Amino acid sequence: MKILVCISHVPDTTSKINFTEGDSKFDTNGVQFVINPNDEFGLTRAMWFKEKQGASVDVVNVGGPETEPTLRKALAIGADSAIRVNTEATDGYAVAKQLAKVVSDGGYDLVIAGRESIDYNGAMVPGMLAAMIDANFITNCISLEIDGTTAKAVREIDGGKETVSTSLPLVIGGQKGLVEESDLRIPNMRGIMMARKKPLNVIEPTDVSAETKVVSFEKPAPKGAVKLVDTDNIDELVSLLHNEAKVI
């Protein structure tokens, strides 16, 4: 079984976010980038398939040279090889088109992506990719088992969970539950040294135009001042909740 894990290069959630050029461009200065958490759950699950079922695991990213440290980390975790599509990830459609070409050329049976990246939260790439390559698709996936060409998955739905069965080729949008946080792997020194020798192939992009563009970014409004109300003054509390907070 050939597995391709899609890796997004995203800012660490502790990074301070700023914008430049009239709030139209993300400022990367001083920002620490990491593997998208939803993708890391998927990569860890792919490692299980590699170790238990002999699958081969490649990772892929659409981006410039600045994303290669993130791909090297994925290799250090255990992926066999990495692919970088040498173009900026402009929007979900363009990224999905680039990934579709990689999947088609590589003949992958299973594509594991995060249900969404934590920077743009678009949650659109896995579904569009599945449509482009005519593969089955399961999102919000929290469990996955493969037996031959048959896949059994559990996904989150409103109010519960849904168990589904389908066949390969398959694209999934994974999340926490696919593995638990305690199962995530920290690269050790041996893995880091081996990653330096593993292939990281840079390929040129296919010709595709983005369907959307960023107009502007805007930070959330700062939190307002806190008002303390004496617990004995219920009437004042009710008045503030009704007239100022407007929650009742």
Side-chain angles (χ1 to χ4, degrees):
M1 178 168 59
K2 291 188 67 175
I3 302 175
L4 182 68
V5 181
C6 303
I7 300 293
S8 291
H9 174 77
V10 300
D12 188 283
T13 54
T14 62
S15 299
K16 186 176 181 180
I17 301 303
N18 290 300
F19 306 109
T20 61
E21 300 181 18
D23 291 338
S24 65
K25 187 175 181 180
F26 175 62
D27 185 1
T28 60
N29 290 323
V31 175
Q32 176 69 36
F33 284 83
V34 298
I35 298 175
N36 180 50
N38 286 322
D39 301 342
E40 193 166 2
F41 292 126
L43 176 59
T44 305
R45 189 59 179 167
M47 290 301 98
W48 189 93
F49 289 125
K50 176 181 176 179
E51 294 162 1
K52 304 295 183 181
Q53 298 181 213
S56 64
V57 178
D58 297 340
V59 292
V60 63
N61 168 264
V62 178
E66 69 279 0
T67 71
E68 291 190 7
T70 299
L71 285 172
R72 287 292 180 193
K73 181 181 178 182
L75 291 173
I77 289 172
D80 298 307
S81 67
I83 301 165
R84 179 174 68 82
V85 183
N86 189 30
T87 186
E88 182 182 0
T90 49
D91 76 341
Y93 174 79
V95 169
K97 288 289 284 187
Q98 300 298 343
L99 294 175
K101 180 70 163 53
V102 173
V103 176
S104 298
D105 289 348
Y108 293 97
D109 305 296
L110 173 64
V111 180
I112 301 178
R115 69 171 186 180
E116 63 182 357
S117 61
I118 62 169
D119 48 5
Y120 291 99
N121 301 105
M124 64 179 75
V125 171
M128 289 194 293
L129 171 59
M132 290 173 183
I133 63 173
D134 194 26
N136 294 316
F137 176 54
I138 302 170
T139 194
N140 299 337
C141 189
I142 57 174
S143 176
L144 180 66
E145 301 289 343
I146 306 291
D147 183 7
T149 59
T150 300
K152 183 178 180 181
V154 179
R155 70 184 200 96
E156 283 191 346
I157 59 174
D158 286 343
K161 301 175 182 178
E162 179 183 55
T163 300
V164 296
S165 179
T166 186
S167 60
L168 303 180
L170 173 66
V171 177
I172 71 162
Q175 62 181 68
K176 181 180 178 181
L178 198 56
V179 299
E180 296 302 323
E181 287 187 25
S182 59
D183 298 320
L184 297 177
R185 304 182 181 190
I186 299 174
N188 56 30
M189 184 55 66
R190 182 172 182 270
I192 293 170
M193 296 302 293
M194 290 181 64
R196 295 178 180 177
K197 300 179 181 179
K198 292 179 179 179
L200 196 165
N201 302 308
V202 179
I203 63 175
E204 291 309 306
T206 187
D207 187 19
V208 59
S209 298
E211 296 295 319
T212 60
K213 66 178 181 178
V214 173
V215 176
S216 66
F217 293 101
E218 183 178 349
K219 291 184 179 181
K223 293 182 179 180
V226 175
K227 287 189 177 182
L228 301 177
V229 180
D230 193 314
T231 55
D232 294 329
N233 195 343
I234 299 301
D235 290 340
E236 181 185 1
L237 176 60
V238 172
S239 176
L240 289 171
L241 291 173
H242 180 71
N243 296 315
E244 290 194 21
K246 300 186 185 301
V247 295
I248 61 174

